[in-house]
Each structure stands twice: as structure tokens, then as C-alpha cells.
Amino acid sequence: MTNTEIAAQDHAEGLKQDARKAGARVGLTSDEIIINGGRPLTGRIEVRGAKNLATKAMVAALLGQTPSVLRNVPNISDVRVVAGLLALHGVLITRGEDPGEWRLDPSNVERAHHADIDAHAGSSRIPILFCGPLLHRLGEAFIPDLGGCRIGDRPIDFHLDALRKFGAIVEKLPSGISLSAPNGLTGANIELPYPSVGATEQVLLTSVLAEGQTELRNAAIEPEIIDLICILQKMGAIITVEPNRVIFIEGVKELRGYDHAAIFDRNEAASWAAAALATKGDVFVGGAQQEEMMTFLNVFRKVGGDFDVHDDGIRFWHPGGALKPVTIETDVHPGFMTDWQQPLVVALTQAEGVSTIHETVYENRFGFTDALNEMGANIVVYKDGLADEARRVKRREFEQAAVITGPTPLTGSDIEVPDLRGGFSHLIAALTASGQTKVTNLGIISRGYENFIEKLRLLGADFVFEG
Ligand code: EPZ
């Protein structure tokens, strides 16, 4: 074996260990499940707060002079990673009577050892968002090498460029990145090269306490970002969201704690909706709301699924008849989210005709289709994206497209979960397939799906899980 192959194997083993630890943290005692597919999922499950808001809201608590209370927090391992990092920095975290209620007291924020931060961050990318708040509180911050899902290179250049504009000094070390702000941070004019979710959050979390005004152009405006802005406003921040992706922030001297219920997880909701469609089932997703899912709902209907919007959730079902193919381009909000494509692809393997999915957000997000092909799907991934002058966001070099020809019956196989959303799509494929499928490396799914084994049980799935 060459050194590169050994390094790749070590890396893969490291990711598996991270996944196992992630599963253990949220009470998964086994890393594999055996699914007997071919049964429609039916029943009701609840989704709670969004992973991609709750984790950021927890970081925002660092900015307050008084404790914050976050409600509707999901029991997922990414939340626990952030809680651990906050605890390392002296934040006192207590849980309320309701298991989804967390109280975060930042009265005694302190420095943490680099090695501890590194050991604790695991595969999470959230540590980068600690930069602004820690620079304000302590005058320095450290970010370990960042992980996250294996969906291609995930650079942090937008984050570092923005932090430099606020006046931070950025130093690259072998173990990570060290930042300091000896002269404090001042407001800046920033235009993002792309409406990045994380970089927009970075600017928000840094600008609210920076001296003077910040103008952010080409900002991301995902619902989770608007919810973060609501939290910051509750804390005392002054933030104006203008048309055309412009956000103005007027820095204030001090912020207080917040009390907030996290917005629902629209990615989890869309995943269960896709599972209902692929398995010809009928699933009521409690907590799901229409406005944040409008784009998904349109596509769900075009494919041939049906839904009913209720005050307390959305019912998704397969009304019978053939599913129809679609052409989709993933996009920033309000477009079709990149996190929705993987679960939907499984349903598209059952549609009559050729569907195309153009992935424009990440460079390597179709790896999960290999396992679907082994199960009988006909999916061809093209490494080049599609050119279209009419696009809102300019085409980038690394885009990919997947062409799915259906319908193709799926049959059981052995699958190893590669990443969070791809992993959930493998669960859907196993539930759709005839015969038995063994899915391993389940811990990764616990990063973003609360109690998914229990939810599968509630929906009548037939499986063996020794947990
Ligand atoms: C967030 O990732 C989410 N993660 C992702 O969720 C989600 O897919 C993504 O936003 C898009 O909606 C969290 O919120 C924790 P980006 P983020 O910055 O913030 C490039 C899930 O499964 N880029 O909007 O990291 C980047 O490489 C996931 O829940 C740079 O080039 O996404 C990507 O191509 C995974 N330089 C694009 O921008 C940078 O400095 C969008 O990334 C930053 C980003």
C-alpha cells in the first residue's frame, strides 16, 4: 500500500470513529441496522429545531452579558459537539425540564487549550463561528482543522477574509488557525463572492458588537439566517435586511441573553417527505411549516406526491399512480436546497422517465448514488455542470449533474453511510428496496436526525436494530 493509500485509509477510519462517537453521544449503541424494505412508511413523527440554526444560536449566546435560553433544541450529536466547545470556553450549560430547553450562561467565558478544542470539535464545522464572539470576549480565538461532511472541499476563505476586514489578525499554525484582535473589531464593507450561509453567519456574529456600521452584500438569506437575526435582535442588536441580499448591521456596545424557540428543521422535514414518497407511504411531519418549504413543496407536487398543510405540521403522501421525472438545480434560498436533493433522488429512481439534478452548491455531493446504483438504480453522474445564462447565481467550475432514469426496482444490499444527507437517502433506499439491506456507519446520521431509529419504528418500518 502506498503512503497516500494508508493516509486515505487512516482518514476513513478516523471518520468512522467520529461517526461511532457521534452515535454514542446521542444514545445509539449500535452502528448498524438491518432493514426489510418494501413497506410503506405511515404515521406521524415530529421534527424539532433546525440543526443549522440551533448550533449557531448556541454560539450567539457567547455574545450576551446575561444567560440565554434556547428551546426546541434537537438531540443530535452536532448540538452536543457545540455544547462541549462552549463548556470548554467556560459557558455553563444546564438543561431545562423540557429536554429541548438549554440554558447557556456565558458569565465566565475563558480561554480553552488548543488541543482540547481540537479533540472536541470532532467532525463539526461550527468552531469557525466561534471566531467573532471569542475575539469580542477574549481578544483571541483558535480554530482547529475543520471537518464536516465528505461532500468536497469546504474552504473557509470567505470567513477569514471577512474577519480580516473587521480588523482580526489571522495566523495559520500547523494545528489550526489562531486569530487575535489587539485593537478590537470595527465595522466593515463586505461583499461575499457567493451567498455563503456560514460566511453570512460569521459576519452577523462578528459585526453586532463591532464598532460602527457593517454593510454585507451578496448575503445568504436562508430561513435559519433570518432566525439567527431574530435572536440577535432579541439580544439588542440592530440589523436591517434590505432587498437584494444586502444586510446592514449597526454595532452596539453590549448585548444581553435571549429566549428563543429554534425554527423547525426543514431539511429533516423534507427527508421524511421524500421517504413517504419513495416508499408509497403517508407521513405526517409534525412541526413542519409551509413558508420555509415552498420550493420543496412545488417539486414534491411536480414529482407526483401530494401534501396537506396543517397548523401543526404537513402531511406528505404518495397518492398512487406513476411518479413523474423532474429537472432541478440546487441553489441558495429561496432556491431548491442542496440538502434536499439526496433524499429526493431515491424517489426519482421510481419516477417514469429521466430526471436531472444539477448540484451547484457543493462539488462532490453525488457520492451516495454509487450505493443506489448497486441496489439497481440507473444514475449517471456528470462531472461538469450545466451552463445556463438565466441563472441567478453564476455557474461555478466544480458543479456536477446527475441523470436518473427510472423507474428501476431497488433490491437490498450492504451499504456504508458516507455523509449525513447521503446516509439518510440510503436509509430511504433500504426502506424502498425489496429484500434486506444492512446499513452501517449509522452514527453520521445522528449528526442531524434526532431519534431517527425511534421515528422509523413509529412509521412502521420493518428492521432489526440491536440498540
Ligand atoms: C451550511 O453549510 C449548512 N451547514 C449545510 O448543511 C448546507 O448544505 C449549506 O449551508 C448550504 O445551505 C451548516 O449550517 C452547519 P456555505 P456552510 O458556506 O455554511 C463555498 C447539512 O447536511 N465556500 O453556504 O458550510 C463552499 O465550499 C449541511 O446539514 C467557499 O468557497 O455552506 C460551498 O461550495 C451540509 N468559501 C458554498 O460556498 C468559504 O469560505 C456554500 O457553502 C465558505 C463557503
Side-chain angles (χ1 to χ4, degrees):
M1 218 189 294
T2 64
N3 283 346
T4 320
E5 281 165 343
I6 293 170
Q9 206 174 53
D10 286 351
H11 181 63
E13 186 50 36
L15 286 166
K16 272 189 219 164
Q17 282 176 12
D18 278 350
R20 275 195 283 275
K21 278 189 246 159
R25 275 195 292 266
V26 290
L28 276 191
T29 46
S30 170
D31 206 29
E32 67 177 49
I33 185 170
I34 293 169
I35 295 180
N36 296 308
R39 271 187 170 209
L41 290 187
T42 53
R44 174 175 177 139
I45 48 105
E46 304 295 322
V47 294
R48 280 211 283 178
K51 158 175 102 59
N52 292 346
L53 177 275
T55 44
K56 289 65 176 290
M58 292 169 76
V59 178
L62 274 172
L63 293 164
Q65 292 297 319
T66 52
S68 290
V69 175
L70 183 62
R71 288 172 283 113
N72 206 22
V73 180
N75 181 22
I76 53 174
S77 60
D78 269 17
V79 160
R80 287 176 185 264
V81 169
V82 178
L85 286 170
L86 287 169
L88 278 179
H89 286 94
V91 177
L92 184 65
I93 301 177
T94 42
R95 307 279 292 274
E97 261 174 43
D98 174 341
E101 184 176 305
W102 293 53
R103 185 173 184 277
L104 306 128
D105 183 350
S107 311
N108 296 307
V109 172
E110 59 188 13
R111 289 174 176 75
H113 291 295
H114 292 188
D116 289 343
I117 301 176
D118 197 15
H120 205 89
S123 57
S124 170
R125 284 179 59 80
I126 307 294
I128 184 113
L129 294 179
F130 278 64
C131 292
L134 287 182
L135 285 171
H136 284 301
R137 292 298 300 250
L138 303 172
E140 62 178 53
F142 170 75
I143 330 162
D145 272 343
L146 295 176
C149 277
R150 278 182 283 170
I151 51 182
D153 218 7
R154 292 178 73 183
I156 53 170
D157 49 336
F158 306 164
H159 295 253
L160 297 182
D161 287 350
L163 287 162
R164 283 194 192 96
K165 288 205 167 127
F166 284 110
I169 296 169
V170 179
E171 195 189 347
K172 297 201 175 154
L173 306 174
S175 54
I177 296 172
S178 168
L179 297 103
S180 59
N183 303 318
L185 299 172
T186 44
N189 279 331
I190 297 167
E191 174 152 11
L192 295 177
Y194 177 82
S196 149
V197 168
T200 299
E201 292 159 345
Q202 181 75 263
V203 171
L204 289 169
L205 291 167
T206 307
S207 59
V208 282
L209 284 180
E211 198 184 324
Q213 288 200 352
T214 295
E215 181 180 321
L216 175 64
R217 291 184 304 282
N218 208 19
I221 48 164
E222 268 59 10
E224 295 78 18
I225 287 179
I226 303 300
D227 208 34
L228 181 63
I229 292 176
C230 290
I231 288 174
L232 293 168
Q233 189 180 47
K234 285 178 176 175
M235 296 178 83
I238 302 174
I239 303 173
T240 316
V241 182
E242 300 271 328
N244 300 323
R245 301 189 174 277
V246 176
I247 303 181
F248 282 114
I249 305 105
E250 294 172 46
V252 295
K253 291 229 165 332
E254 203 176 278
L255 295 171
R256 54 179 179 267
Y258 63 81
D259 184 324
H260 190 80
I263 188 175
F264 80 101
D265 198 313
R266 64 201 172 110
N267 294 343
E268 186 187 356
S271 301
W272 289 111
L277 193 60
T279 63
K280 301 194 168 136
D282 187 337
V283 174
F284 189 99
V285 182
Q289 285 166 29
Q290 180 177 19
E291 194 179 322
E292 292 77 7
M293 296 193 72
M294 270 185 176
T295 308
F296 178 83
L297 294 174
N298 285 336
V299 172
F300 193 81
R301 181 165 279 157
K302 280 196 214 168
V303 176
D306 211 344
F307 59 88
D308 259 348
V309 177
H310 298 250
D311 286 348
D312 60 342
I314 304 179
R315 176 185 161 214
F316 296 93
W317 76 96
H318 187 310
L323 295 184
K324 294 180 280 275
V326 280
T327 297
I328 303 169
E329 188 170 299
T330 65
D331 201 350
V332 293
H333 187 76
F336 190 90
M337 275 203 86
T338 167
D339 299 310
W340 295 335
Q341 57 96 342
Q342 301 87 335
L344 194 73
V345 162
V346 184
L348 294 178
T349 66
Q350 305 309 304
E352 273 186 9
V354 180
S355 297
T356 305
I357 302 216
H358 186 192
E359 172 58 56
T360 80
V361 180
Y362 289 112
E363 60 189 287
N364 186 15
R365 228 182 178 185
F366 286 125
F368 73 99
T369 57
D370 290 347
L372 302 189
N373 282 339
E374 272 170 35
M375 295 174 80
N378 177 355
I379 305 173
V380 181
V381 175
Y382 294 90
K383 74 176 172 50
D384 291 326
L386 313 173
D388 181 355
E389 287 307 308
R391 279 183 51 191
R392 181 158 36 106
V393 178
K394 282 202 188 74
R395 185 187 178 297
R396 297 185 298 165
E397 263 175 30
F398 54 68
E399 296 171 6
Q400 290 174 304
V403 175
I404 304 134
T405 307
T408 47
L410 302 180
T411 46
S413 177
D414 285 356
I415 319 181
E416 185 175 337
V417 165
D419 63 68
L420 175 63
R421 306 292 166 200
F424 198 85
S425 83
H426 288 169
L427 283 184
I428 301 177
L431 293 159
T432 309
S434 57
Q436 216 172 59
T437 299
K438 182 161 89 174
V439 186
T440 51
N441 212 19
L442 277 190
I444 290 187
I445 300 179
S446 330
R447 284 192 44 210
Y449 291 89
E450 181 180 53
N451 300 340
F452 64 94
I453 301 281
E454 184 53 29
K455 289 177 186 174
L456 287 175
R457 201 166 273 135
L458 282 171
L459 296 176
D462 180 3
F463 62 88
V464 180
F465 176 73
E466 314 262 329

